[in-house]
mmCIF file of all heavy atoms in Angstrom:
data_model
loop_
_atom_site.group_PDB
_atom_site.id
_atom_site.type_symbol
_atom_site.label_atom_id
_atom_site.label_comp_id
_atom_site.label_asym_id
_atom_site.label_seq_id
_atom_site.Cartn_x
_atom_site.Cartn_y
_atom_site.Cartn_z
ATOM 1 N N ALA A 142 18.776 2.597 -74.074
ATOM 2 C CA ALA A 142 19.954 2.194 -73.316
ATOM 3 C C ALA A 142 21.157 3.027 -73.737
ATOM 4 O O ALA A 142 21.374 3.276 -74.921
ATOM 5 C CB ALA A 142 20.239 0.712 -73.527
ATOM 6 N N GLY A 143 21.921 3.446 -72.743
ATOM 7 C CA GLY A 143 23.054 4.314 -72.994
ATOM 8 C C GLY A 143 22.736 5.784 -72.895
ATOM 9 O O GLY A 143 23.661 6.613 -72.878
ATOM 10 N N GLY A 144 21.472 6.117 -72.807
ATOM 11 C CA GLY A 144 21.064 7.500 -72.705
ATOM 12 C C GLY A 144 21.156 8.034 -71.295
ATOM 13 O O GLY A 144 21.600 7.354 -70.370
ATOM 14 N N SER A 145 20.707 9.273 -71.134
ATOM 15 C CA SER A 145 20.818 9.965 -69.858
ATOM 16 C C SER A 145 19.516 10.641 -69.481
ATOM 17 O O SER A 145 18.727 11.040 -70.338
ATOM 18 C CB SER A 145 21.919 11.031 -69.918
ATOM 19 O OG SER A 145 23.194 10.465 -70.171
ATOM 20 N N LEU A 146 19.321 10.772 -68.184
ATOM 21 C CA LEU A 146 18.226 11.549 -67.624
ATOM 22 C C LEU A 146 18.737 12.265 -66.389
ATOM 23 O O LEU A 146 19.683 11.811 -65.746
ATOM 24 C CB LEU A 146 17.040 10.669 -67.234
ATOM 25 C CG LEU A 146 16.187 10.074 -68.346
ATOM 26 C CD1 LEU A 146 15.217 9.054 -67.759
ATOM 27 C CD2 LEU A 146 15.420 11.163 -69.081
ATOM 28 N N ARG A 147 18.104 13.360 -66.056
ATOM 29 C CA ARG A 147 18.427 14.102 -64.845
ATOM 30 C C ARG A 147 17.162 14.275 -64.027
ATOM 31 O O ARG A 147 16.205 14.921 -64.468
ATOM 32 C CB ARG A 147 19.029 15.461 -65.186
ATOM 33 C CG ARG A 147 19.464 16.298 -63.972
ATOM 34 C CD ARG A 147 20.169 17.568 -64.430
ATOM 35 N NE ARG A 147 20.640 18.391 -63.340
ATOM 36 C CZ ARG A 147 19.978 19.448 -62.858
ATOM 37 N NH1 ARG A 147 18.801 19.795 -63.361
ATOM 38 N NH2 ARG A 147 20.504 20.155 -61.857
ATOM 39 N N LEU A 148 17.158 13.710 -62.846
ATOM 40 C CA LEU A 148 16.032 13.811 -61.941
ATOM 41 C C LEU A 148 16.245 14.949 -60.959
ATOM 42 O O LEU A 148 17.374 15.264 -60.578
ATOM 43 C CB LEU A 148 15.835 12.513 -61.157
ATOM 44 C CG LEU A 148 15.705 11.215 -61.956
ATOM 45 C CD1 LEU A 148 15.443 10.054 -61.003
ATOM 46 C CD2 LEU A 148 14.611 11.319 -63.003
ATOM 47 N N SER A 149 15.167 15.547 -60.540
ATOM 48 C CA SER A 149 15.238 16.564 -59.511
ATOM 49 C C SER A 149 14.132 16.324 -58.494
ATOM 50 O O SER A 149 13.105 15.711 -58.794
ATOM 51 C CB SER A 149 15.133 17.976 -60.090
ATOM 52 O OG SER A 149 13.877 18.176 -60.719
ATOM 53 N N CYS A 150 14.354 16.810 -57.301
ATOM 54 C CA CYS A 150 13.376 16.678 -56.225
ATOM 55 C C CYS A 150 13.465 17.913 -55.355
ATOM 56 O O CYS A 150 14.523 18.202 -54.779
ATOM 57 C CB CYS A 150 13.651 15.421 -55.405
ATOM 58 S SG CYS A 150 12.582 15.231 -53.960
ATOM 59 N N LYS A 151 12.370 18.624 -55.256
ATOM 60 C CA LYS A 151 12.318 19.826 -54.448
ATOM 61 C C LYS A 151 11.557 19.552 -53.158
ATOM 62 O O LYS A 151 10.450 18.998 -53.194
ATOM 63 C CB LYS A 151 11.642 20.960 -55.209
ATOM 64 C CG LYS A 151 11.608 22.271 -54.437
ATOM 65 C CD LYS A 151 11.027 23.385 -55.277
ATOM 66 C CE LYS A 151 10.921 24.677 -54.483
ATOM 67 N NZ LYS A 151 12.240 25.137 -53.986
ATOM 68 N N ALA A 152 12.153 19.933 -52.059
ATOM 69 C CA ALA A 152 11.522 19.786 -50.756
ATOM 70 C C ALA A 152 10.863 21.087 -50.338
ATOM 71 O O ALA A 152 11.405 22.179 -50.553
ATOM 72 C CB ALA A 152 12.551 19.370 -49.709
ATOM 73 N N SER A 153 9.705 20.967 -49.750
ATOM 74 C CA SER A 153 8.999 22.136 -49.243
ATOM 75 C C SER A 153 8.369 21.787 -47.903
ATOM 76 O O SER A 153 8.342 20.633 -47.490
ATOM 77 C CB SER A 153 7.938 22.618 -50.239
ATOM 78 O OG SER A 153 6.974 21.610 -50.490
ATOM 79 N N GLY A 154 7.848 22.788 -47.241
ATOM 80 C CA GLY A 154 7.286 22.583 -45.926
ATOM 81 C C GLY A 154 8.347 22.737 -44.860
ATOM 82 O O GLY A 154 9.177 23.644 -44.919
ATOM 83 N N ASP A 155 8.352 21.832 -43.893
ATOM 84 C CA ASP A 155 9.280 21.902 -42.767
ATOM 85 C C ASP A 155 10.621 21.286 -43.149
ATOM 86 O O ASP A 155 11.026 20.245 -42.623
ATOM 87 C CB ASP A 155 8.677 21.186 -41.567
ATOM 88 C CG ASP A 155 9.497 21.376 -40.306
ATOM 89 O OD1 ASP A 155 10.357 22.282 -40.273
ATOM 90 O OD2 ASP A 155 9.277 20.622 -39.339
ATOM 91 N N THR A 156 11.320 21.944 -44.051
ATOM 92 C CA THR A 156 12.560 21.383 -44.593
ATOM 93 C C THR A 156 13.744 21.513 -43.650
ATOM 94 O O THR A 156 14.791 20.916 -43.900
ATOM 95 C CB THR A 156 12.910 22.041 -45.930
ATOM 96 O OG1 THR A 156 13.117 23.446 -45.743
ATOM 97 C CG2 THR A 156 11.787 21.832 -46.936
ATOM 98 N N GLY A 157 13.617 22.275 -42.591
ATOM 99 C CA GLY A 157 14.716 22.438 -41.657
ATOM 100 C C GLY A 157 15.125 21.157 -40.958
ATOM 101 O O GLY A 157 16.247 21.054 -40.456
ATOM 102 N N SER A 158 14.247 20.189 -40.923
ATOM 103 C CA SER A 158 14.545 18.922 -40.264
ATOM 104 C C SER A 158 15.332 17.958 -41.136
ATOM 105 O O SER A 158 15.763 16.910 -40.660
ATOM 106 C CB SER A 158 13.247 18.246 -39.810
ATOM 107 O OG SER A 158 12.424 17.939 -40.919
ATOM 108 N N ILE A 159 15.527 18.286 -42.397
ATOM 109 C CA ILE A 159 16.181 17.383 -43.336
ATOM 110 C C ILE A 159 17.698 17.528 -43.223
ATOM 111 O O ILE A 159 18.235 18.619 -43.375
ATOM 112 C CB ILE A 159 15.739 17.662 -44.781
ATOM 113 C CG1 ILE A 159 14.225 17.518 -44.922
ATOM 114 C CG2 ILE A 159 16.464 16.725 -45.734
ATOM 115 C CD1 ILE A 159 13.699 17.955 -46.277
ATOM 116 N N ASN A 160 18.368 16.422 -42.999
ATOM 117 C CA ASN A 160 19.826 16.389 -42.995
ATOM 118 C C ASN A 160 20.402 15.631 -44.183
ATOM 119 O O ASN A 160 21.569 15.825 -44.527
ATOM 120 C CB ASN A 160 20.340 15.764 -41.707
ATOM 121 C CG ASN A 160 20.123 16.651 -40.508
ATOM 122 O OD1 ASN A 160 20.452 17.838 -40.536
ATOM 123 N ND2 ASN A 160 19.562 16.100 -39.443
ATOM 124 N N CYS A 161 19.613 14.783 -44.780
ATOM 125 C CA CYS A 161 20.089 13.972 -45.886
ATOM 126 C C CYS A 161 18.941 13.723 -46.853
ATOM 127 O O CYS A 161 17.785 13.590 -46.440
ATOM 128 C CB CYS A 161 20.641 12.645 -45.374
ATOM 129 S SG CYS A 161 21.727 11.778 -46.522
ATOM 130 N N MET A 162 19.266 13.671 -48.121
ATOM 131 C CA MET A 162 18.297 13.341 -49.145
ATOM 132 C C MET A 162 18.778 12.120 -49.900
ATOM 133 O O MET A 162 19.970 11.969 -50.167
ATOM 134 C CB MET A 162 18.103 14.497 -50.124
ATOM 135 C CG MET A 162 17.502 15.752 -49.501
ATOM 136 S SD MET A 162 15.734 15.546 -49.126
ATOM 137 C CE MET A 162 15.051 15.510 -50.785
ATOM 138 N N GLY A 163 17.853 11.263 -50.251
ATOM 139 C CA GLY A 163 18.197 10.051 -50.966
ATOM 140 C C GLY A 163 17.290 9.799 -52.146
ATOM 141 O O GLY A 163 16.183 10.332 -52.238
ATOM 142 N N TRP A 164 17.795 9.009 -53.069
ATOM 143 C CA TRP A 164 17.017 8.524 -54.196
ATOM 144 C C TRP A 164 16.868 7.015 -54.078
ATOM 145 O O TRP A 164 17.844 6.303 -53.810
ATOM 146 C CB TRP A 164 17.685 8.864 -55.532
ATOM 147 C CG TRP A 164 17.567 10.296 -55.915
ATOM 148 C CD1 TRP A 164 18.488 11.279 -55.760
ATOM 149 C CD2 TRP A 164 16.431 10.910 -56.550
ATOM 150 N NE1 TRP A 164 18.018 12.468 -56.244
ATOM 151 C CE2 TRP A 164 16.755 12.278 -56.735
ATOM 152 C CE3 TRP A 164 15.188 10.448 -56.970
ATOM 153 C CZ2 TRP A 164 15.877 13.180 -57.332
ATOM 154 C CZ3 TRP A 164 14.306 11.337 -57.558
ATOM 155 C CH2 TRP A 164 14.655 12.684 -57.736
ATOM 156 N N PHE A 165 15.663 6.546 -54.290
ATOM 157 C CA PHE A 165 15.338 5.137 -54.246
ATOM 158 C C PHE A 165 14.574 4.780 -55.510
ATOM 159 O O PHE A 165 14.036 5.653 -56.191
ATOM 160 C CB PHE A 165 14.502 4.809 -53.002
ATOM 161 C CG PHE A 165 15.225 5.068 -51.712
ATOM 162 C CD1 PHE A 165 15.363 6.355 -51.214
ATOM 163 C CD2 PHE A 165 15.784 4.020 -50.993
ATOM 164 C CE1 PHE A 165 16.041 6.601 -50.028
ATOM 165 C CE2 PHE A 165 16.459 4.247 -49.811
ATOM 166 C CZ PHE A 165 16.588 5.536 -49.330
ATOM 167 N N ARG A 166 14.518 3.501 -55.796
ATOM 168 C CA ARG A 166 13.757 3.077 -56.959
ATOM 169 C C ARG A 166 13.056 1.761 -56.670
ATOM 170 O O ARG A 166 13.482 0.974 -55.835
ATOM 171 C CB ARG A 166 14.646 2.951 -58.190
ATOM 172 C CG ARG A 166 15.704 1.860 -58.107
ATOM 173 C CD ARG A 166 16.632 1.934 -59.308
ATOM 174 N NE ARG A 166 17.645 0.887 -59.292
ATOM 175 C CZ ARG A 166 18.636 0.801 -60.163
ATOM 176 N NH1 ARG A 166 18.760 1.712 -61.134
ATOM 177 N NH2 ARG A 166 19.521 -0.198 -60.068
ATOM 178 N N GLN A 167 11.984 1.545 -57.383
ATOM 179 C CA GLN A 167 11.227 0.319 -57.238
ATOM 180 C C GLN A 167 10.677 -0.097 -58.590
ATOM 181 O O GLN A 167 9.933 0.648 -59.226
ATOM 182 C CB GLN A 167 10.088 0.491 -56.232
ATOM 183 C CG GLN A 167 9.377 -0.801 -55.895
ATOM 184 C CD GLN A 167 8.482 -0.671 -54.675
ATOM 185 O OE1 GLN A 167 8.044 0.423 -54.334
ATOM 186 N NE2 GLN A 167 8.218 -1.775 -54.021
ATOM 187 N N ALA A 168 11.067 -1.283 -59.009
ATOM 188 C CA ALA A 168 10.547 -1.875 -60.230
ATOM 189 C C ALA A 168 9.406 -2.813 -59.874
ATOM 190 O O ALA A 168 9.335 -3.325 -58.752
ATOM 191 C CB ALA A 168 11.651 -2.627 -60.962
ATOM 192 N N PRO A 169 8.504 -3.082 -60.811
ATOM 193 C CA PRO A 169 7.392 -3.983 -60.524
ATOM 194 C C PRO A 169 7.867 -5.336 -60.008
ATOM 195 O O PRO A 169 8.761 -5.952 -60.589
ATOM 196 C CB PRO A 169 6.694 -4.126 -61.878
ATOM 197 C CG PRO A 169 7.009 -2.847 -62.585
ATOM 198 C CD PRO A 169 8.419 -2.515 -62.167
ATOM 199 N N GLY A 170 7.289 -5.776 -58.908
ATOM 200 C CA GLY A 170 7.635 -7.050 -58.324
ATOM 201 C C GLY A 170 8.889 -7.050 -57.481
ATOM 202 O O GLY A 170 9.247 -8.099 -56.931
ATOM 203 N N ASN A 171 9.553 -5.926 -57.366
ATOM 204 C CA ASN A 171 10.789 -5.837 -56.603
ATOM 205 C C ASN A 171 10.622 -4.936 -55.386
ATOM 206 O O ASN A 171 9.718 -4.111 -55.316
ATOM 207 C CB ASN A 171 11.928 -5.304 -57.476
ATOM 208 C CG ASN A 171 12.286 -6.227 -58.615
ATOM 209 O OD1 ASN A 171 12.232 -5.838 -59.773
ATOM 210 N ND2 ASN A 171 12.638 -7.466 -58.280
ATOM 211 N N GLU A 172 11.527 -5.114 -54.444
ATOM 212 C CA GLU A 172 11.543 -4.258 -53.279
ATOM 213 C C GLU A 172 12.135 -2.896 -53.631
ATOM 214 O O GLU A 172 12.877 -2.747 -54.601
ATOM 215 C CB GLU A 172 12.368 -4.900 -52.159
ATOM 216 C CG GLU A 172 11.805 -6.206 -51.638
ATOM 217 C CD GLU A 172 12.643 -6.802 -50.526
ATOM 218 O OE1 GLU A 172 13.741 -6.267 -50.253
ATOM 219 O OE2 GLU A 172 12.209 -7.797 -49.926
#
């Protein structure tokens, strides 16, 4: 707790259709 992480996500393929990128998360038992 209190620490840091840096996530990255690279898109490939037909990336021209992408206008927005988002980050989502899911914990066990949660939406």
